[in-house]
Amino acid sequence: MTPETTAPLLLVEDDALLASTLYDVLSLAGYQVDALEDGDAAFTRLAAPDHGHALVLLDLNLPGRGGLEILDAMRRHDRDTPVLILTARGAIEDRVKGLDLGADDYLAKPFALDELEARVRALLRRRQHDDGTQLHVGALHFDTLTQRFTLDDVTLELPPREQRLLAYLMRHAGEAVEKAHLLEQVFAEETLGDNAIEVYIHRLRRRLAGSSLTLRTVRGLGYLLESDA
């Protein structure tokens, strides 16, 4: 695999065994990796506008300053560097807060190492093509500031739930996203059944019909948004 960037990744994790494992896995994949295990040190590093990292893998439960405080301080001056939260399984409230503060994605521990690598690759690819406010997948565009979608230069009007779902799928374009992950990430504060996700996916498919965009069901893996253009 050829890494999408030569800038170092920053790994902030206080569990020594996990940090060592992630460092080795990412290094073997060809990335430069800087590692910190203390929240205060991470806060100081990321509070600097020129911190120089291409992506941050951030644990939330750290000695010293917590991950959410670090993320909040970072996003005051840096809206572009992708942040992947590493958090305990079941800590939904913290995940929601992290996403609200500007995190790009999260992984609940324990997680598969190949999934971590896939998430890192996806976030770095999006960073190359996203200026921080504009998402592009083929002919589909989303302005994150105005919350406006356009498809083939025509405004695409969407209800709030479909809007949130499509925006998330765009951020994960080219990557299959599990139904359970969508329920947690997109609808964490709502009570929805599995069938509701299928209904919204069906509606989005109808809206994208006739375009270069395809929203596929990948059996056993989830839903994948991709462009033929």
Side-chain angles (χ1 to χ4, degrees), residues 8 20-21 26 36 38 61 67 83 93 100 127 140 162 165 167 182 184 189 198 202 207 215 217 224 229:
S20 177
T21 299
L26 292 169
L36 295 173
D38 177 80
N61 187 19
V83 175
E93 183 178 353
D100 285 343
R127 186 184 190 228
L140 179 64
E162 290 179 43
L165 179 57
L182 290 173
E184 289 184 349
E189 297 178 315
E198 294 176 2
H202 176 71
R207 297 182 189 279
L215 181 50
T217 299
L224 186 150

Side-chain angles (χ1 to χ4, degrees), residues 173-187:
E175 173 188 349
V177 184
E178 294 180 353
K179 184 186 299 184
H181 193 74
L182 290 173
L183 285 170
E184 289 184 349
Q185 285 275 30
V186 183
F187 305 110

Side-chain angles (χ1 to χ4, degrees), residues 95-114:
R95 295 202 295 266
V96 171
K97 287 181 180 178
L99 294 169
D100 285 343
L101 287 173
D104 297 89
D105 201 357
Y106 82 89
L107 272 175
K109 303 175 185 177
F111 47 78
L113 295 176
D114 56 353

